[in-house]
Amino acid sequence: RLSRPADTALLAALDAFHQGGAGASLAAGARDAAAEGSAGPLFHHAVHSGVLWVGLLGQWLPLAPLSLALLRPWASALSAAQILSYGCLLGYLMRRILPGADGHLGASFANAARRGRIWSLAAAAFSPAGFVHWAHAAALLLLSVAPLEEQLGRGRTLAAFAAAGACAALASSIAQAPFGRRAAPRASTSGAVMGLLALRASLLPLTPIALGHIELPVRPPR
C-alpha cells in the first residue's frame, strides 16, 4: 500500500497545486471532499475539485483537468517528470500514427547530415521506440527527477533532458556511419534519461530514490 485517496501525500499535492495558481476552492475543499477512487497496491485514482489524480509509484500526480477553467493551473502545476513523460508519449504516438514520422523524429546520420534535419537530434529524445520503452523511461523519470527539479527548477531540468538527449542522438548518429547503418533512425530517450540520472548522482549523491515509503537502495539494518 503506497498511497490512498485520502492520505497526506494527496493533501500535500493538492496544496502544492493550489499554490501553483489553482482556484481557492481546490485546497480548501480537498480535506472535506469525498474521493471517488479505486484502491490497489500500486495504483489509485481520485477526483478532487475538478482534477483527476493518479496515485502511481508512491506519489500523487494531477493527471488531467476535468474542465477547461482548470487547464492553465493544471499545466502550471505539472512537474518536469510529468511534462517529459507526456512529451515522450506524444512522440511515441506520432511515430506510430503519422506516416514517415521516423524520418523527422528519429536521429540518424542521414537525417542530420544528408537531409539537414538538425531538429531530429532534439526530437529523438522525445520519441521512444515503443510503448515499453516509453513506460520504462516514464517510470525512471517519475521516480528520480523530483529531487533534481527541486534543486535546478523545472525549466533547467527540462533543458538538461533535452541537452542529454541531443548529445546521445549525435553520438548515435556518428556511430552509425562506420557500420553502414546511416539511414536507420534511432530514439535517444534512454540516453536523455541516463543523462538526468548521471546529473542527479553528481549533484545529489546521498539522496535515495523513494518508492512510496521504500527508499532505494535498500540498506540492511545495522
Side-chain angles (χ1 to χ4, degrees):
R1 186 179 69 191
L2 299 181
S3 54
R4 289 181 174 179
D7 70 0
T8 56
L10 175 57
L11 298 181
L14 286 165
D15 287 338
F17 185 89
H18 171 61
Q19 294 171 4
S25 62
L26 182 63
R31 292 174 176 81
D32 298 326
E36 300 174 4
S38 63
L42 291 176
F43 176 86
H44 305 281
H45 70 274
V47 176
H48 273 292
S49 303
V51 177
L52 175 62
W53 298 81
V54 172
L56 183 66
L57 298 175
Q59 54 189 305
W60 281 99
L61 307 170
L63 182 64
L66 301 181
S67 66
L68 294 178
L70 286 173
L71 184 60
R72 179 174 293 180
W74 167 78
S76 66
L78 289 178
S79 66
Q82 277 189 271
I83 294 174
L84 294 174
S85 298
Y86 288 162
C88 290
L89 179 60
L90 177 61
Y92 161 70
L93 293 176
M94 291 177 65
R95 291 188 70 170
R96 295 286 295 178
I97 296 173
L98 300 180
D102 275 353
H104 296 273
L105 300 180
S108 68
F109 185 86
N111 279 346
R114 293 184 175 181
R115 301 187 181 101
R117 297 171 181 170
I118 304 299
W119 65 84
S120 64
L121 297 177
F126 298 91
S127 54
F131 182 79
V132 174
H133 189 196
W134 168 79
H136 180 255
L140 287 175
L141 290 170
L142 292 173
L143 283 172
S144 61
V145 170
L148 187 63
E149 182 180 0
E150 291 179 2
Q151 179 154 338
L152 297 180
R154 186 169 68 172
R156 290 184 178 181
T157 303
L158 297 176
F161 180 89
C167 291
L170 180 61
S172 175
S173 299
I174 294 174
Q176 287 180 11
F179 298 98
R181 303 175 64 181
R182 302 178 184 180
R186 295 284 185 268
S188 63
T189 308
S190 295
V193 173
M194 291 303 296
L196 285 188
L197 292 177
L199 182 59
R200 174 192 160 122
S202 64
L203 296 178
L204 305 167
L206 301 180
T207 303
I209 294 177
L211 178 58
H213 301 296
I214 303 173
E215 292 186 348
L216 303 176
V218 177
R219 295 179 175 87
R222 294 181 179 178

